[in-house]
Every structure is written in structure tokens, then in C-alpha cells.
Amino acid sequence: MVRLMGRSGERSPRRPSGSHARHPRDADRPRRGAGAVRHASALRWALSGRSVAGQVFVMNVVIVLLLVVAAAVALVLQVRHDSTVEARNRSVAVAATFADSPGIVEALRGSDPSAVLQPRAEAAREATGVDFVVVTDTRGVRYTHPKPDRIGRQFVGNIGPALAGKTVTEEVDGTIGQLVQAIVPVKAPDGTVVGLVSAGITTENVGGAAERQLPLVLIVAGVGLALATAGTALVARRLLRQTHGLGPHEMTRMYEHHDAVLHSVREGVLITGPDGRLLLANDEAQRLLDLPADAEGRPVTGLGLPDDTAELLASGRVATDEVHLVKDRLLAVNQRPTDVRGGPAGSVATLRDSTELRALSGRAETARERLDMLYSAGVGIGTSLDVTRTAEELAELAVPRFADYVSVDLFDAVLAGGQPQEATPLRRCALGGISEDVPLYPVGRQIRFVSSSPQGRALQTARPQLTPRLADAPGWQAQDLERSAQVVEYGVHSLVAVPLRAGALVLGVVCFWRSRQPDAFDEDELALAEELVARAAISIDNARRYTREHSMAVTLQRSLLPRRMPDQNALDVAYRYLPAQAGVGGDWFDVLPLSGARVALVVGDVVGHGLHAAATMGRLRTAVHNFTALDLPPDELLGLLDELVGRIDQDEPTDDGTAPVTGATCLYAIYDPASGTCAVARAGHPPPALIRPDGGVEFPEVPAGPPLGLGGLPFETTELELAEGSRLVLYTDGLVEDRQHDIDVGLEQLRRALETAGETPEETCRTVLDARLPDRPGDDIALLVARTRMLGRGRVAEWEVPNDPAAVGEVRSQVTERLAEWGLDELAFTTELILSELVTNAIRYGGETVHVRVLLDRSLICEVFDSSSTSPHLRYAAMTDEGGRGLFLVAQLAERWGTRYTPGGKIIWAEQPMP
């Protein structure tokens, strides 16, 4: 920049016409003729003191000379000071060493101390290089001295502190001249001072070192002055070339002119060095870049500029109208190097603020933000098929990027999965904002908007409504005068109400509110709000449809499950059924009373989810009911279910895109309260858990068997002995399996939960679900807990009947007595008739073994066992038939009757209601 200033056209002072002097700016141009003479003449004139270079040269020489003189004086003073300190230290060391030497105390107390101590003192003086070593008594009378004629005279110095036991150093005028001496006390073993020792060096010897070094210092200073003068001359010559020989006044005027031009232009100018440091920045550059006050001299990368701008300025590369965004300004940057014509290394950059580009950038940034918000809406809204959660995601997305508060109001029917009805009120299901104390309607509030409000107009016209200033909107204030005043007072000032439309359906209304953002909503933002809500409406409608389908499937599934437990006395039962969050499944359970006071427990699971699985579950449950009526053992019943599932799989079409049932699992158990046994079989189902009366938990070994529908393999029945008060826990795999761990871990966690469960089945269900229920179940969960009861021996009567028709009368007599004990005399007659017919048929057709058992439960149960497997049939006997009316009579007298088979034969049973 200085070089450029030197060529700006300023004229130099006039020279005498006869001097043939050239303008200094011509010094660098090629000479013709007597160039060397002219160059020497110009150099002498420049160094004469009238030019800037000459003045700088003279000033530098004076400064160097002063520095050299000051350095020499300081060195002399420092040498003298160091010599004095060294003399003090040496004197103290010599005196203290001599005072502590052996035999000095005895010599001082001897008859002739000088004779003993004088040779020793002189030897010490010569060995240590001090000027004297003097020993005195406590009065200061010398015993030794380098000059023997001074022995016996008074010591020159302050001996008071030494007599007090202290070491003294001082500079005194002694008998041998100016000197530095140290006085050290000589102490006896008891601590008393018996004499003094002084050692010292004269000032003449102390200063000798400094005087010897002074010539060397002066020589070095002279060399330094010569070098400094030569360097100053070179600098002055360089400065002469830079300033072209201009004088101070010319340089000042030129600088002022260029400085005024530099800082008055409306373009920013930056000059950077080759190392990336800022050398100069004019006022406009300071303003455009908002540079700190101390920016010049600092690296441009450390001035807080954007990375791309700082990189450009630091690199020094050529740039033409490059646009850079610096804070809120778009700057067009041009940059060129400064060493193109032999100038100094570095670069100069100009900055221009482009108003049009800035406005264009603002519009582009706004468009980018809106596109980004719409993209976020596409990926962030509708992540779950839950209506309320989808509405909350819309509110979370728009705050605070678009609005300060967002409220979403939906019709109640939409929340339940149905179609909205215009006459019904809305319910606020989401409210998001920058603070929680805003006086808007809270979540859960039922709202009926008046027709004059923006929300009411949006619902009626299905078009968005813009209210820039809420304080001037009487239609909005008519909704709720008190709350409207609170909202305005809170600072909410602008509103956009957009209807949630899904095709022809209006699901609700979304309101965007502004309070902290000072700008009111405008037409462009109204269009953005409409687009944002349109995308959210698709997700909310999908969630609504899913809710409807899910509710229908759950309703179907629950309609196929038992609504209440049947009346029976064998088991105390509690259950839980929880459908999956993402589609219903095919889990089911049942409690079925059987003959002989027995109860069947069933838990099953159809593979798959959806309406098809729920419908198949209903078919299997109906089949279990029908098969149970046959009084089959568990393994045979599972075999029939296996065949049924196989036929269902073969008959199911897959044209509608639904997968056929690929199997099911089932566990079937029959509990007999009379014997306390439980027969269990399972088909691919998780094993049952058993809680003993003492609280111990185990998983009984029950053969798993293949899942239903595979076919080809038999099932096995396991008989368990259950003490009264035991709890049998049946469940589906949704309780013990998930994606995080396998079934073994789930079974162990279930065991720990059962160990802490209460005594009742209800408490057991609650404890298990609290411990094992996930937040969002991915599969159905069916849980059935049954606590056993025993039918006491006093409520059971058994007789072995001989194979003799005459034994029937004895049976009737014994039954009548037992009924009298139970207080059931009213049933004696009918019971005698039923047993007479059943026992007679057993003796006649059933084989050699006949066994009778009467049970007192909710009803009176009569059972007759025989070893024949032939089943009797009920029929109408003709008028001419002698027999065939026995079973008809039993069917008329009993409430229910039937036949069940055992490994040893069959049992014909009949139940009578209690009176």
C-alpha cells in the first residue's frame, strides 16, 4: 500500500536548477550517463537528515550509541556489585572456617596467643587469597595481622554484634585502606565468646576485575555500534527506496490523502500478509465483517468469520465476485495478490454488499426451511398408528420452528376410529408450546366452537382461516370472552386455524398460535400451514382407520372369549387377557365343567394375527367345547384338534392376501377334586407353572408334543398330584417370549414373579402382569390361574357291587342312608330309581366289576362304573317291548346324564339338581 502511495502523483519539493537533482521516485529507474555519481549524490542527500531515511538513520545511530553506553555502564556496575558480594561471601567463609578450626580456643586462652595464631593466620590468608586474617580478643586487641607492627593495636570495625554471637560484614577504612571485612565470634564449648576472627579484602582488589573487563566491554560495544550503524544504513537505504526520498511533510500529506480515500469508499478493503494475518482493514470492511477493534495483526481465521470466507482471505487465491454469506449479509468478494509487480507478498481483497443477492438469499433460506419442515413432517408424523400420538407429533414438529403453540382438536368419533359427526363437539387431544402456562384450553377438554370463531369457520368451510391480530378479532373473542382476554394478555397475538381434511371428511382443526415471535402470520405462512396439516391429516386418518379395524378385531376376539367363568366348586379361577397393540391374535382360554365335579382348563394360541386368526381361534374354541362333551382324556382331545386344524389349513384360500393358519398350540388339563389329580397334555404350548401351597414354584415335566396342524405324532398325558391350595398357572407365549430374550429367560423371570405372588389367583395375576407385561405388547397375552379345592371324603360315597341282581336292593338301602346323612331325603326316591336302573344294566351287560360312587357337589352326582366298553343308547321302547325303558327313565329323572370312558371300562353318570 505504501508503494502504491508513492506513485500517486504527489510532487516532490523543488530542487535548485543547477543541482541536476532528480526526484527520488526516479532512483529506481535505469540511469544513463553519470548514473553512479548521481546515485551517490542522492544517497548523501537522503542521509543528510532532510529526508525520512536520513532522519531514521540518525535516530537509529543515536539510539544504538545510547544503548551501547548504557550497557557498558550497567556491566561495570554489575561487575562491581558482583565482586563486592563475592568479597563478602569469601570473607565470611574464611573467618568462619578459621574461627572453627581446632585449637583456636586453647590458643586464645594461652599465655602467648600471637605466637600460636600469627603463623596460622598468615597461612590461611595466603591459601584463601584474602588480604588479611586478624584474630582479636573480646576487647578488640589484635593478636594477628599481615603487618606485624599492627599486632597489639585496636581492631578497626564494629565488634559489638560479634561479641553478641553474630557474624558481621562491613565496608570500613582500615589500616590497609578501604576494605570489605567479616567479623566472626570464636565460641568456647560452653557458648561464651572468647575472641573474634576477621577476614577481609581491600576495595582496590575488589574493583580490579571490573577494570580489567572494561576494555573488553568497550571493544564489544564498539563492534556492536559498528554493526548497528551498518544495519541502520541498510535500513535507511531500503527506506529511501520505499519513500523515494520524500520528506516528512510530503509523506504525511500523502498518507492523509490516501487514508481519506481508503476509508471513504463504499467498498471494504482488506490487505492480508503471506502468513494469513490481517494487515489493514478500512472502515467499510470493519462494518461489513463486524471485525473486532484489535483485528489488524491477527490471523483472519481467528476473527470469527465464516469458514469459507476466512479460508478465502487466508489463502490469498484470486477470486472474482465470489458470493459469501457473512451473518446477515451477502458479500461479493474480489481478491488479487500484491506481489505481481515486485510488491510485498500478500493479497488485497475488496468487499461489496449486494442488496439484491441478500434478498434473494433470504427468500431461498425461507424456502429451504419450509421444504425442510415439510420433509420432517413426512418422516416424523405418523410413526405410530395411534391417533393421539400422531396429533402430538404434529404439535412437536411445528414448535418452535413455525409457531409458538399448536393445538389439535379432533371429533370424539375420530379418536374411537369412527367417522366424524359435525353436530358433536371436539376434544383437544394435543397441545404443544414453548411454555406450559399458556391459558389455552388444556388437553382432554371438550370444545364446541362457535360459528364466528376462526376454528368454527374452518370446520364449516373446510378452508384455512388467518387471523393476524387476535386482539382485533371479535369473532374469536366470542368463543370465550374471559379466556380470550387471558390469551391476549399472555401475549398470543396471531392465529392460523386449518381444518384436518381426509378426502371429504373433516376430522378436526389444527390451530397455530404466535406469542414470542413478533411477526404475525401472513398468506405465505397460511399456505405452509395448510400443506403441513394436509400431510398430518393423512397419518391421522390412517391411524383412525387402524383404530377402527383394531377395535373391530378386538371386539370380535373378545366376543369369542368367555365372558364369565362357569359355576363350579373344584377350582378358584382368575384370568387376564390382553390383546396385542399391533393387531389382534388368536390366543384363547376356557374353563369347562365336566362330569363327576371335574373341571377342564384350556389355553391355546393360533399362529398369526388379525381377523383371520381371531376367527380361527373361535372355531377351535367351539371345537374344544364340543369335544369336551365327549368326556375325552386330554391326549385324545388334542388329537381331534390336530386333525381339525389340519383341515382348516387345507381349506383356507389365500386369494385375499391373508396368510392361512399354519398351526396352533394348546394345553388341556382336567382336574378331579375327588382324587386331587390333574391330567395334562400339551401341543407345542409353553409348560404350565405350579405353585405349591408352601409357595414353591416349579414347571412340571409335561411332554411338549407337536403343535396342532402338523399331524402324524401322538400326544401324551401326564397326571399330576395336586395338594389342596395349589395354584396351576397356564399362559400363552406372549407372556414369556419377546425379541430381547428367548423363552428360557422368560420362564425364569416368570418363576421369580410367581414366588412373590399373593395367595389368591387374583393377586397372582396382578403380580405376574406387573412384572412381565411390556409397555406395548407385540403379542396377545392370556393368563389363567386356578387354585385347587378338594372334595372332602365326607362328600363322597363309594360301594363295590357284586355281580348279582339281588345286590341292587342293598345299594338302594345304602344310598338312602347316606342321603339321610347329607339331609337330602327329598332326593332319595329318584336316586334309588336312577341307581337301580344303572346298576341293573351294569350287572346285566357291563361285565364282572361294578362300582358305584355318589358325589355331593353343586348337584348330586351318581356314577356307575363297569368293565364293559359298550355304550348304552337312549331309545323309545315299543308297547310290546319288555325292556328298553331304563335309560329313558334316567333321562327324565336326572338333569344331565352321560357316559365317559376309562382305561378299564366306562362310567355312566347322572346329575340331579340340589333341592
Side-chain angles (χ1 to χ4, degrees):
M1 198 65 178
V2 173
R3 186 178 184 89
L4 294 176
M5 290 178 183
R7 298 179 181 177
S8 62
E10 292 288 342
R11 292 180 298 176
S12 61
R14 295 183 177 271
R15 303 289 185 268
S17 58
S19 64
H20 302 284
R22 294 168 58 92
H23 194 284
R25 76 180 69 176
D26 298 330
D28 293 336
R29 296 176 183 174
R31 271 61 170 188
R32 295 182 177 89
V37 174
R38 292 184 179 183
H39 177 73
S41 175
L43 180 60
R44 285 193 301 270
W45 175 84
L47 298 180
S48 65
R50 289 177 295 177
S51 67
V52 174
Q55 294 176 0
V56 170
F57 173 76
V58 173
M59 182 181 64
N60 285 345
V61 170
V62 172
I63 291 174
V64 171
L65 182 59
L66 291 177
L67 291 176
V68 170
V69 172
V73 173
L75 180 60
V76 171
L77 295 177
Q78 182 65 35
V79 169
R80 289 183 177 274
H81 176 267
D82 292 344
S83 300
T84 302
V85 172
E86 182 182 358
R88 289 173 180 265
N89 294 337
R90 189 187 303 176
S91 299
V92 171
V94 172
T97 302
F98 194 85
D100 293 337
S101 62
I104 189 169
V105 175
E106 291 77 5
L108 288 172
R109 290 179 176 178
S111 58
D112 190 3
S114 295
V116 177
L117 298 177
Q118 175 69 9
R120 295 172 60 183
E122 287 303 304
R125 180 180 64 82
E126 295 177 358
T128 58
V130 298
D131 289 331
F132 66 88
V133 176
V134 175
V135 181
T136 70
D137 60 7
T138 57
R139 295 173 299 174
V141 177
R142 298 189 184 101
Y143 288 142
T144 65
H145 195 276
K147 297 180 179 180
D149 59 338
R150 306 293 175 89
I151 296 175
R153 296 185 181 183
Q154 189 69 27
F155 177 74
V156 180
N158 184 15
I159 64 174
L163 294 176
K166 299 180 180 178
T167 299
V168 182
T169 59
E170 58 184 355
E171 295 183 16
V172 298
D173 186 9
T175 57
I176 59 175
Q178 292 289 333
L179 54 85
V180 177
Q181 65 181 8
I183 306 173
V184 177
V186 179
K187 297 181 180 179
D190 58 357
T192 60
V193 177
V194 298
L196 304 175
V197 177
S198 176
I201 302 176
T202 60
T203 306
E204 180 181 358
N205 293 334
V206 172
E211 294 174 354
R212 289 190 297 271
Q213 295 177 4
L214 183 58
L216 178 61
V217 172
L218 294 177
I219 292 174
V220 173
V223 173
L225 178 59
L227 294 176
T229 303
T232 302
L234 293 177
V235 171
R237 183 177 180 181
R238 177 68 176 177
L239 185 59
L240 174 65
R241 297 176 61 185
Q242 292 289 338
T243 61
H244 303 283
L246 298 178
H249 297 290
E250 292 177 303
M251 291 293 297
T252 301
R253 186 171 63 255
M254 182 181 295
Y255 174 79
E256 290 174 351
H257 290 173
H258 284 77
D259 187 71
V261 173
L262 178 67
H263 293 288
S264 63
V265 296
R266 298 306 299 170
E267 286 191 359
V269 178
L270 293 171
I271 298 179
T272 57
D275 57 351
R277 293 183 179 273
L278 180 63
L279 301 181
L280 183 144
N282 68 348
D283 295 343
E284 184 67 7
Q286 294 273 357
R287 184 184 68 84
L288 294 177
L289 299 179
D290 193 17
L291 297 176
D294 60 344
E296 294 184 0
R298 293 171 52 184
V300 293
T301 56
L303 299 178
L305 300 177
D307 294 340
D308 56 342
T309 306
E311 185 274 331
L312 171 62
L313 297 177
S315 65
R317 62 180 175 83
V318 176
T320 302
D321 288 335
E322 283 194 14
V323 178
H324 289 260
L325 179 62
V326 180
K327 296 184 178 179
D328 59 343
R329 294 185 177 93
L330 277 176
L331 303 180
V333 182
N334 291 273
Q335 183 166 266
R336 296 292 185 272
T338 58
D339 57 353
V340 177
R341 297 181 181 178
S347 61
V348 58
T350 60
L351 312 174
R352 186 176 67 256
D353 189 2
S354 177
T355 305
E356 295 181 356
L357 289 178
R358 180 171 57 194
L360 179 60
S361 173
R363 291 194 296 269
E365 180 66 18
T366 300
R368 186 192 66 79
E369 291 179 356
R370 292 182 177 181
L371 288 175
D372 181 66
M373 184 180 300
L374 293 177
Y375 172 77
S376 299
V379 300
I381 299 178
T383 58
S384 66
L385 292 174
D386 183 83
V387 175
T388 302
R389 179 55 192 157
T390 305
E392 292 173 349
E393 290 172 345
L394 170 60
E396 293 171 358
L397 174 70
V399 176
R401 302 168 65 180
F402 181 68
D404 295 324
Y405 300 95
V406 176
S407 59
V408 182
D409 306 314
L410 301 176
F411 290 101
D412 283 335
V414 174
L415 296 174
Q419 292 191 355
Q421 301 176 358
E422 295 183 0
T424 60
L426 290 85
R427 188 174 300 277
R428 179 146 296 176
C429 58
L431 176 62
I434 57 178
S435 63
E436 298 180 356
D437 57 347
V438 63
L440 298 174
Y441 288 122
V443 174
R445 174 73 176 268
Q446 198 174 50
I447 309 171
R448 189 183 295 274
F449 292 107
V450 298
S451 58
S452 63
S453 66
Q455 297 91 334
R457 294 197 304 270
L459 293 173
Q460 292 173 0
T461 62
R463 299 294 302 170
Q465 302 294 320
L466 172 63
T467 308
R469 294 180 55 83
L470 288 177
D472 302 334
W476 171 74
Q477 297 175 2
Q479 174 68 36
D480 189 335
L481 292 177
E482 180 179 358
R483 187 176 293 272
S484 300
Q486 294 175 355
V487 171
V488 173
E489 183 180 359
Y490 185 83
V492 179
H493 59 82
S494 187
L495 165 67
V496 168
V498 183
L500 266 165
R501 294 183 302 168
L505 297 178
V506 177
L507 308 178
V509 62
V510 180
C511 296
F512 301 91
W513 314 77
R514 276 186 178 173
S515 62
R516 185 174 298 175
Q517 300 183 38
D519 298 333
F521 289 109
D522 54 23
E523 294 294 337
D524 291 339
E525 291 172 322
L526 179 67
L528 174 62
E530 186 176 11
E531 179 67 22
L532 189 64
V533 173
R535 299 197 178 197
I538 297 175
S539 299
I540 291 178
D541 188 53
N542 289 338
R544 177 189 68 87
R545 294 171 181 271
Y546 170 78
T547 302
R548 181 185 62 190
E549 299 296 333
H550 184 71
S551 299
M552 293 174 55
V554 170
T555 301
L556 172 63
Q557 187 181 39
R558 291 190 181 278
S559 67
L560 297 175
L561 292 172
R563 299 186 179 182
R564 65 180 185 87
M565 292 293 99
D567 296 332
Q568 46 83 29
N569 290 338
L571 297 170
D572 182 12
V573 178
Y575 66 92
R576 293 288 190 277
Y577 178 78
L578 299 173
Q581 292 292 329
V584 296
D587 294 13
W588 91 93
F589 64 93
D590 249 322
V591 178
L592 305 172
L594 302 177
S595 62
R598 298 171 306 136
V599 177
L601 302 175
V602 189
V603 174
D605 183 5
V606 176
V607 176
H609 292 83
L611 290 175
H612 185 71
T616 303
M617 176 269 290
R619 298 169 67 178
L620 293 181
R621 179 170 178 255
T622 302
V624 171
H625 273 259
N626 294 332
F627 295 152
T628 301
L630 301 176
D631 253 335
L632 299 174
D635 55 340
E636 294 184 19
L637 185 141
L638 291 180
L640 296 177
L641 281 180
D642 182 52
E643 296 179 5
L644 175 62
V645 172
R647 290 197 298 271
I648 293 176
D649 284 349
Q650 295 175 1
D651 297 340
E652 285 295 335
T654 59
D655 298 338
D656 58 353
T658 60
V661 176
T662 57
T665 65
C666 183
L667 187 147
Y668 188 81
I670 299 176
Y671 173 67
D672 187 352
S675 62
T677 60
C678 182
V680 184
R682 62 188 180 114
H685 202 80
L690 179 62
I691 306 177
R692 298 293 183 184
D694 59 358
V697 179
E698 62 177 295
F699 292 93
E701 291 291 338
V702 179
L708 300 177
L710 298 182
L713 295 176
F715 300 95
E716 299 182 47
T717 298
T718 300
E719 190 167 285
L720 307 176
E721 296 288 340
L722 304 182
E724 186 172 12
S726 300
R727 280 168 287 170
L728 193 64
V729 182
L730 310 181
Y731 51 90
T732 55
D733 58 358
L735 185 66
V736 295
E737 286 185 344
D738 56 32
R739 296 180 179 179
Q740 281 71 34
H741 52 70
D742 56 20
I743 190 172
D744 293 334
V745 177
L747 291 176
E748 184 59 30
Q749 293 176 351
L750 176 61
R751 178 198 299 274
R752 291 197 295 268
L754 293 175
E755 289 175 347
T756 61
E759 296 182 358
T760 65
E762 191 68 29
E763 292 175 345
T764 304
C765 289
R766 187 182 308 113
T767 302
V768 170
L769 291 185
D770 289 344
R772 294 291 304 142
L773 182 62
D775 295 334
R776 297 181 62 84
D779 194 5
D780 292 8
I781 296 176
L783 176 63
L784 186 64
V785 180
R787 183 171 62 183
T788 60
R789 297 172 182 167
M790 294 289 291
L791 195 62
R793 302 304 303 172
R795 303 174 70 88
V796 179
E798 297 181 272
W799 300 277
E800 294 291 337
V801 180
N803 193 8
D804 184 0
V808 176
E810 181 66 24
V811 171
R812 290 199 300 267
S813 175
Q814 292 175 346
V815 168
T816 301
E817 293 178 0
R818 181 55 62 92
L819 292 178
E821 294 177 4
W822 290 342
L824 299 176
D825 294 330
E826 298 180 13
L827 299 179
F829 179 72
T830 56
T831 304
E832 289 181 5
L833 290 178
I834 291 173
L835 286 178
S836 295
E837 292 298 330
L838 295 179
V839 173
T840 299
N841 286 340
I843 293 175
R844 180 179 299 176
Y845 306 109
E848 299 180 355
T849 304
V850 178
H851 183 80
V852 176
R853 186 171 71 166
V854 180
L855 307 175
L856 178 60
D857 193 41
R858 288 179 173 269
S859 60
L860 184 65
I861 305 171
C862 299
E863 298 180 340
V864 177
F865 167 82
D866 62 67
S867 57
S868 172
S869 59
T870 303
S871 175
H873 297 280
L874 180 66
R875 64 185 179 87
Y876 287 100
M879 296 296 294
T880 58
D881 291 341
E882 295 183 1
R885 298 179 178 82
L887 286 181
F888 183 80
L889 180 62
V890 170
Q892 296 301 313
L893 296 177
E895 184 180 37
R896 295 193 309 147
W897 75 281
T899 303
R900 71 173 182 268
Y901 293 92
T902 66
K906 67 177 181 299
I907 296 175
I908 302 177
W909 54 271
E911 293 184 4
Q912 301 177 74
M914 301 295 288

